[in-house]
Amino acid sequence: MVNGAHAEHDSTGQPVLISLTAPPRRALADGLVRPVGSGAAHTVPRLDAHLPDPEVADFLATVVHTDTGFVARTDDGARVLAVIAATVAALCGEDIRTALTSPDIDFLRALEPPAVEALRGVLRAVETDHPDPVHAALGILAA
């Protein structure tokens, strides 16, 4: 490695510098919303996001400790934001129920790439029959 670049060798044995760049940062909501049935394998647990908050919180507290992840199902953009915030809270050991009722949008916007990848490793997709309102609600995360 020379000055942050990997040294490869060409056919004459001379070093060829190859610059290493960081992979592009994936936004929190990129590719998250999908039509019902296309979010992930059928073996991945589905969460009806409209269940009462205590049931959603219990589900999230358990699923973040598995390797299956989950798919949320809802047509409600505000509920998607709540589920995202609650999933992050579950991953961080924070109060899941508070995150469901009061998502911290500024905190979600400030998530670093490793935290985004951790979230996306658990929340595999949001399945919906009405993607427009869900996409519109998620737009606040990019602001």
Side-chain angles (χ1 to χ4, degrees):
M1 186 173 297
V2 178
N3 294 331
H6 253 329
E8 296 287 332
H9 297 280
D10 65 14
S11 61
T12 65
Q14 295 298 316
V16 177
L17 295 179
I18 301 172
S19 179
L20 300 177
T21 59
R25 180 179 175 159
R26 178 163 63 160
L28 193 89
D30 283 353
L32 187 64
V33 179
R34 302 186 187 157
V36 171
S38 66
H42 294 291
T43 57
V44 174
R46 269 37 183 195
L47 169 67
D48 177 353
H50 297 286
L51 289 170
D53 285 356
E55 290 180 47
V56 172
D58 289 346
F59 174 86
L60 293 174
T62 301
V63 79
V64 299
H65 298 290
T66 69
D67 60 358
T68 62
F70 75 100
V71 172
R73 286 192 174 161
T74 183
D75 295 328
D76 181 345
R79 192 61 174 172
V80 170
L81 290 171
V83 168
I84 290 171
T87 304
V88 170
L91 286 165
C92 295
E94 298 295 328
D95 188 333
I96 301 167
R97 292 177 187 194
T98 297
L100 279 168
T101 58
S102 304
D104 186 342
I105 302 303
D106 290 333
F107 178 76
L108 294 176
R109 284 185 196 138
L111 289 176
E112 295 292 328
V116 170
E117 292 306 317
L119 168 68
R120 295 300 297 274
V122 174
L123 177 55
R124 304 288 175 92
V126 174
E127 293 183 335
T128 181
D129 287 321
H130 303 285
D132 291 338
V134 174
H135 280 293
L138 292 177
I140 195 170
L141 296 176

